[in-house]
Amino acid sequence: MASIIVQVSALLLNLIAFGLAVAAEQRRSKATVTPDLAKEYDYCVYNSDVATGYGIGALLLLTAAQVVVMLASRCFCCGRGLKPGGSRACALMLFLFSWLLLHF
């Protein structure tokens, strides 16, 4: 029963993060080209937008989902480690891969 709760909570956090990421993409900033006062060059002026807040919220939710799963599974730094062998190496590769995907 506890594993179902962990899976559902991680899934909900990931789905909400996905929704925030889609909303951030839809609300991208628009730029206007504005000349300077001396009219020597043009530059872009971006309007204020909430897309950055949506993106940061999505990142925090993805991080929270990672932490929930890591704590529940007692992965590496959150409990007694796995016995050396193939399953530990596989767990290490998946752990690093998931954190790399989260931050890139």
Side-chain angles (χ1 to χ4, degrees), residues 19-80:
L20 285 175
V22 169
E25 183 64 27
Q26 294 297 318
R27 300 274 317 203
R28 285 191 292 177
S29 298
K30 304 286 189 258
T32 57
V33 178
T34 307
D36 68 337
L37 295 176
K39 300 204 189 264
E40 293 178 11
Y41 57 90
D42 295 336
Y43 59 95
C44 294
V45 176
Y46 290 92
N47 58 353
S48 178
D49 206 324
V50 297
T52 303
Y54 288 160
I56 290 172
L59 176 69
L60 292 176
L61 286 173
L62 287 173
T63 304
Q66 288 277 348
V67 169
V68 164
V69 170
M70 200 169 71
L71 288 174
S73 64
R74 293 186 165 186
C75 185
F76 300 109
C77 61
C78 301
R80 199 177 83 229

Side-chain angles (χ1 to χ4, degrees), residues 1-3 6 15 19 36 55 57 64 68 77 92-93 96 100-101:
M1 180 67 177
S3 65
V6 170
L15 286 176
D36 68 337
V68 164
C77 61
L92 177 63
M93 287 177 17
L96 293 174
L100 285 174
L101 284 181

